[in-house]
Amino acid sequence: MNSLDFSSASIAEMLAFKGKEAEKLRSDADNLTDKIFGGNVFLRGIIEVSNICSKDCDYCGIRRSNDKVKRYRMNSDEIKQVIDSAYTEGFRTVVLQAGEDNLMDENIAQIIEYAKLKYDISITLSLGERSEKIYRMWRDAGADRYLLRIETTNRNIFKMIHPDDDYEKRLNCLAILQNLGYETGTGVMIGLPKQTLGDLADDLLFFKKNKFDMLGFGPFIPHRETPLKESATAELDLVLNFTALCRLMNENANIPATTATGTLDVRGREMALRSGANVIMPNCTPKKFREEYDLYDNKLGLSENADDSLARAQKVVKGAGKELLLGVNK
Ligand code: SAH
């Protein structure tokens, strides 16, 4: 396996593998994953705490100019209740995710303190770009991990799809998070308009170079109320090859089988777990809110409740021939 050539050109070639070659790539990644994680899959519960967003990203269904979406912001008690029930169900990590809604910043700190005091639980944040001061406040409150996707390392595409963002600023946020001692995750969308296999190879090289703790990615899936509504989505084969290469290039990283991959194909998450992924992130958002956290069309689990999402994740993990770690803070 060590003989694999991870030059940009060779990665691009492997991303395009089909048939036997693709199977071999994915099973190599799966074997390595089993060697490192012993066939265990880590569990993280996502709580989508607000869909209010100050940004207008071209791909995202909760972008600020989508006035068809009903906006919500969960209050502190509601979020604490979800953490309480997630803990009871066996979750030992929750991910608080939202649009870029900085009116929640103080509440988030207080919720982190509540959870860390009461439980043996890890707190991951996925709340977008903030100042060092706010990242530090949350870290001081006890937050363990932070997810901030670079979305694409092709600067032209980044600029094209992010009217409010600057690539260098995003990179700087990631550096700040790493310096503050967060376990830091990034990731990309696969199949963005104009994105080539070479771009995806560069994304993989960027992951490797910056030694992230977590790497999350999935297909770009168009949303009907966005400027990218007519764009094509990625093929599952490409997502799985990307997953396998991501594992082979980042042995110890936590790599989730994401909701977007499960939305692309009913067996998507199961296949991702057999191609290098080692994490599953069921949705814990209360049903009345989750329908409004509508990032892309047909998002998996929109009409389920939290119990259904956990039960479904358990089936997916079993289908992949792995074991889901419930009640373990890993
Ligand atoms: N505001 C936070 C959380 C964003 S939602 C932040 O910006 O970090 C989490 C992820 O969903 C995004 O990083 C993006 O990669 C993904 N996403 C958004 N719209 C998508 C779409 N149409 N298709 C696939 N993934 C999408």
Side-chain angles (χ1 to χ4, degrees):
M1 239 179 292
N2 289 335
S3 61
L4 280 181
D5 163 15
F6 294 131
S7 66
S8 181
S10 150
I11 296 168
E13 210 174 286
M14 291 187 275
L15 283 169
F17 278 173
K18 300 265 183 210
K20 286 261 173 306
E21 280 183 317
E23 270 171 41
K24 166 86 169 58
L25 181 71
R26 296 172 202 165
S27 74
D28 283 351
D30 190 29
N31 291 338
L32 178 62
T33 309
D34 280 346
K35 207 171 101 191
I36 293 168
F37 299 98
N40 293 316
V41 172
F42 300 162
L43 179 69
R44 282 96 175 81
I46 306 197
I47 313 174
E48 296 154 338
V49 296
S50 164
N51 72 350
I52 296 172
C53 194
S54 59
K55 292 195 173 171
D56 220 18
C57 306
D58 278 3
Y59 46 87
C60 185
I62 62 168
R63 67 202 298 268
R64 106 182 145 241
S65 59
N66 181 7
D67 54 18
K68 299 251 164 56
V69 63
K70 216 168 86 200
R71 302 288 170 171
Y72 72 88
R73 177 186 294 131
M74 290 173 67
N75 68 38
S76 298
D77 286 342
E78 286 166 331
I79 299 170
K80 288 175 189 169
Q81 261 172 37
V82 176
I83 296 176
D84 292 340
S85 34
Y87 187 86
T88 307
E89 283 166 30
F91 287 90
R92 293 294 177 270
T93 301
V94 290
V95 183
L96 306 182
Q97 191 179 82
E100 308 237 354
D101 178 8
N102 58 21
L103 286 181
M104 295 193 84
D105 291 357
E106 299 288 337
N107 287 356
I108 294 288
Q110 188 233 318
I111 290 159
I112 298 166
E113 278 166 8
Y114 164 85
K116 296 297 288 190
L117 196 66
K118 193 162 174 195
Y119 302 118
D120 169 25
I121 199 168
S122 292
I123 304 289
T124 305
L125 303 176
S126 173
L127 301 169
E129 292 183 9
R130 288 294 192 288
S131 65
E132 178 160 3
K133 187 169 156 236
I134 299 295
Y135 285 153
R136 186 187 303 275
M137 172 176 81
W138 291 334
R139 179 81 183 124
D140 289 345
D144 302 277
R145 308 185 180 129
Y146 206 102
L147 302 173
L148 181 67
R149 291 186 177 178
I150 192 75
E151 312 294 1
T152 171
T153 59
N154 178 316
R155 287 165 169 74
N156 293 327
I157 299 177
F158 185 96
K159 196 165 175 196
M160 192 176 76
I161 62 180
H162 291 117
D164 312 291
D165 290 328
D166 174 71
Y167 186 82
E168 298 302 324
K169 184 169 175 229
R170 178 76 56 113
L171 280 184
N172 193 41
C173 284
L174 286 166
I176 291 171
L177 291 164
Q178 286 182 318
N179 284 335
L180 288 171
Y182 281 96
E183 275 184 43
T184 303
T186 195
V188 295
M189 283 175 284
I190 300 170
L192 288 167
K194 299 204 160 60
Q195 189 184 43
T196 63
L197 294 179
D199 292 329
L200 291 167
D202 291 343
D203 293 344
L204 286 162
L205 288 166
F206 167 81
F207 295 167
K208 185 173 164 62
K209 181 169 154 231
N210 292 285
K211 301 195 180 1
F212 292 104
D213 303 292
M214 308 175 280
L215 295 163
F217 44 82
F220 157 69
I221 301 172
H223 184 286
R224 63 207 172 279
E225 294 294 336
T226 63
L228 299 183
K229 63 181 175 205
E230 308 286 355
S231 297
T233 187
E235 283 184 23
L236 183 63
D237 268 330
L238 177 58
V239 176
L240 297 175
N241 292 345
F242 190 95
T243 307
L245 285 159
C246 188
R247 167 62 61 209
L248 294 168
M249 296 170 70
N250 304 274
E251 299 203 351
N252 295 305
N254 282 319
I255 301 178
T258 57
T259 307
T261 304
T263 301
L264 183 64
D265 188 298
V266 277
R267 293 196 56 217
R269 287 188 300 176
E270 182 180 318
M271 292 171 83
L273 288 173
R274 299 180 60 185
S275 306
N278 70 308
V279 175
I280 196 155
M281 305 170 77
N283 195 330
C284 294
T285 312
K287 192 161 178 280
K288 65 172 173 175
F289 299 119
R290 71 165 76 181
E291 279 166 30
E292 308 303 334
Y293 200 82
D294 183 18
L295 300 178
Y296 42 82
D297 287 345
N298 306 312
K299 183 163 161 262
L300 184 71
L302 276 197
S303 56
E304 293 175 344
N305 60 40
D307 291 354
D308 299 336
S309 295
L310 176 57
R312 185 128 71 119
Q314 278 170 313
K315 279 194 196 132
V316 167
V317 172
K318 205 162 173 219
K322 317 260 170 178
E323 194 177 332
L324 185 64
L325 287 186
L326 270 172
V328 183
N329 188 352
K330 277 262 190 196

